[in-house]
Amino acid sequence: MTEIYQHIIHKMGGIVTSGDDGADNNYGLTAPGQIIDEPGTVRMGDLFVVDGGPLISQVDKNPTWKSFALFHAGVGDMVDELKKDNI
């Protein structure tokens, strides 16, 4: 994708001034475990999962807000279950 965009910019007469990561440095991607807010896979079951575990793909955007939404919803569900004496 980076190379395609650079090609388009050059064809339009533009000059790429940043973000020119290429194959020599893995296109700016880091190895899993090297960045924070790392999502993963969690098998859903009887537990409440309130972090990035259920997010099954690593996109180029920070998943913090999605993780926060899961936390918010999970805590609400936990409170409801506690009030019903289910947990």
Side-chain angles (χ1 to χ4, degrees):
M1 180 182 76
T2 302
E3 292 168 355
I4 291 170
Y5 287 137
Q6 288 176 359
H7 178 74
I8 292 170
I9 291 169
H10 287 295
K11 284 290 189 182
M12 294 175 63
I15 299 171
V16 177
T17 59
S18 66
D20 59 349
D21 294 321
D24 58 324
N25 69 346
N26 199 25
Y27 299 99
L29 300 173
T30 58
Q34 297 294 315
I35 60 173
I36 60 170
D37 299 319
E38 195 80 35
T41 57
V42 171
R43 185 177 186 145
M44 302 304 286
D46 295 334
L47 299 176
F48 291 96
V49 180
V50 294
D51 66 0
L55 306 175
I56 59 170
S57 65
Q58 173 66 27
V59 296
D60 65 337
K61 304 296 184 263
N62 189 320
T64 299
W65 287 108
K66 290 180 197 147
S67 296
F68 178 74
L70 287 170
F71 170 76
H72 189 312
V75 169
D77 291 343
M78 281 188 250
V79 170
D80 291 343
E81 293 300 315
L82 281 168
K83 288 179 181 178
K84 296 175 188 174
D85 286 328
N86 289 336
I87 55 173

